[in-house]
Amino acid sequence: MAKVITKRKNYFARFLAIAIGAAIFAAFTPAIAHAIETGTLESLTKNTSELKLSVDTSWVLITGFLVFFMQCGFAMLEAGLVRQTGVVNTLTENFIDAAVTLLAWWTTGFAIAFGTTSNGLFGVDGFFLSNAFTLNNGAIEYAMGSGGSTAPINTLTLFFFQFAFSATASTITTGAMAERTEFKGDLIYAFIMGAVMYPIVVHWVWNNGGWLNKLNFHDFAGSSVVHTVGGWTSLVGAYLLGPRPNRVWGQIPPAHNLGYATIGTMILWFGWYGFNAGSTLTLENTGLVGLVVVNTTLAASTGAVAAMLYIYFRFKQWHLFCGLNGSLAGLVAVTAGCAYIMPWAAALIGLVAGVLVLVVVDIIEWFEIDDPVGAFAVHGSCGMMGTIAVGLLGHPALTINKKAGLFLGGGFDLLGVQLGGVAAIALFTVAFSFLMFVPLKAVGLLRVNEEADRIGIDVYEHGASAWPDVYPIDDLQFDDDEE
């Protein structure tokens, strides 16, 4: 009997222990499950954010590399279009301008462009990348965006990407001023453009506090910010310099090497995918990236075709140079609206740009302004046209303020902002260019010495020739009073 009672007690004790354990488990299971779930969600969110940042950073850096590679395209294009006595000078200016612009962008340019705004006009902090990172107990922390930008990438990545754009603006100018610019003057104006002039316009348009940005001025990748600025600066510089030696108006000197020019143009076209698509600054909206790429390609293609057909109907010849500039004209024009328009509109913009560029080349020649590469025709006129075209063809599903262009039933609201912004940027650029170039001319640092006109700027400035077999420098001597 005692054994039976003991066994019953043991069974009861086990049952009680199991019951108590089950009760405790039931009581704490929700809390444990919640803790596990919360930890998983937090980890997943953190990992997703870090992955997104890595992808976006990789995207912006790779496209920034493409934009920087456009420096090679500009160098090859301009070297091919100038005369053989100025090839070394052109290559040297294109090369060194990138280095000079980087220093200018580092010291003041990036801060003025993307620093915290002062009345929507210019930035006031971040000089020398002072806001890019902080040191905390020996650990480094990298800042995101900048005072005037909420870009989803760190400050250093944003700095590099925008530097490549800044270098493009000054490089445009070297083409129009080729073959007769004092090299020291080139170094000076390239630095000023990268340090002050270009960054101010960037601040107006791309800084969150910029006055044109607040008006919803549309310039996605720089038809006005980069190309109109570079175009007008180049026109003022070419005007103040005067023509190259032995220049006959109405007879544009032929390009000395169309092979170089073609390679340069194709590099630029390739680099433009970084220029436009990279301006998304993220791969979050892959559809938009695809739209930008397609629009960019369509405009380049229709620009080239339009220019070739236009020149054929005029002269019954297929001119390669015109086709090259036509493609660049289409690229420049679509840069403002590539994210705001439908593909058919991009094709139309390219068609107009391909003809406009050749018409403007004739106009500049009529005014007797020597622009060896057609820099203003490509970048200035087509940059303005493309920016204004957003006000005509902008699609309400794509524009920043969801307003349509005039031709899509949106009225004059968007068009008015585009016209006003283009006018403001052009007026500022022209005024600043005169203030920059006139003093250089006054002190003899704009136009190269007259001796360079006689023996060639390559020999005079660099003591070299790109073609020593056909242009040997040993046969050329300086005057006794020139060193």
Side-chain angles (χ1 to χ4, degrees), residues 233-396:
T233 305
S234 67
L235 185 66
V236 173
Y239 167 74
L240 292 175
L241 272 173
R244 290 170 288 174
N246 305 316
R247 185 68 161 82
V248 179
W249 300 113
Q251 299 179 18
I252 300 176
H256 99 279
N257 192 319
L258 284 173
Y260 277 8
T262 302
I263 293 172
T265 301
M266 297 184 74
I267 290 174
L268 288 172
W269 187 336
F270 176 62
W272 230 287
Y273 294 122
F275 207 94
N276 287 359
S279 292
T280 59
L281 299 180
T282 177
L283 279 177
E284 183 175 4
N285 189 343
T286 54
L288 178 63
V289 174
L291 176 67
V292 169
V293 170
V294 169
N295 284 344
T296 300
T297 310
L298 280 170
S301 302
T302 56
V305 171
M308 291 286 274
L309 290 175
Y310 174 80
I311 207 68
Y312 178 79
F313 286 127
R314 284 186 60 184
F315 301 108
K316 302 304 178 184
Q317 291 180 324
W318 305 97
H319 285 277
L320 174 60
F321 165 71
C322 296
L324 299 177
N325 264 0
S327 67
L328 294 177
L331 289 164
V332 168
V334 82
T335 293
C338 56
Y340 308 128
I341 58 176
M342 290 298 183
W344 65 265
L348 179 59
I349 288 173
L351 285 172
V352 174
V355 176
L356 176 64
V357 64
L358 300 182
V359 172
V360 174
V361 165
D362 290 338
I363 294 173
I364 297 300
E365 184 74 5
W366 185 80
F367 277 106
E368 297 188 353
I369 298 175
D370 191 9
D371 183 349
V373 303
F376 179 78
V378 172
H379 301 278
S381 64
C382 294
M384 290 185 292
M385 183 276 289
T387 307
I388 294 170
V390 178
L392 301 172
L393 303 170
H395 195 285

Side-chain angles (χ1 to χ4, degrees), residues 94-112:
N94 276 272
F95 173 76
I96 202 63
D97 279 0
V100 170
T101 302
L102 174 61
L103 297 178
W105 192 245
W106 173 57
T107 54
T108 63
F110 182 71
I112 292 174

Side-chain angles (χ1 to χ4, degrees), residues 419-465:
L419 287 169
V422 167
I425 291 171
L427 289 173
F428 169 79
T429 303
V430 170
F432 196 105
S433 297
F434 274 102
L435 290 174
M436 178 173 63
F437 287 132
V438 168
L440 289 176
K441 184 175 182 178
V443 298
L445 289 176
L446 189 63
R447 176 85 189 209
V448 74
N449 190 284
E450 292 181 358
E451 182 67 6
D453 292 342
R454 184 181 72 84
I455 66 174
I457 194 170
D458 282 357
V459 176
Y460 184 85
E461 289 275 31
H462 310 285
S465 169

Side-chain angles (χ1 to χ4, degrees), residues 82-93 174 177-186 241 244-245 446-466 471 473 476 478:
V82 300
R83 296 178 290 191
Q84 65 184 27
T85 56
V87 176
V88 175
N89 178 256
T90 297
L91 292 173
T92 306
E93 288 187 350
T174 63
M177 300 172 63
E179 298 191 56
R180 73 268 200 209
T181 303
E182 162 70 48
F183 192 71
K184 292 188 288 291
D186 172 78
L241 272 173
R244 290 170 288 174
L446 189 63
R447 176 85 189 209
V448 74
N449 190 284
E450 292 181 358
E451 182 67 6
D453 292 342
R454 184 181 72 84
I455 66 174
I457 194 170
D458 282 357
V459 176
Y460 184 85
E461 289 275 31
H462 310 285
S465 169
Y471 180 51
I473 63 175
L476 300 166
F478 292 92

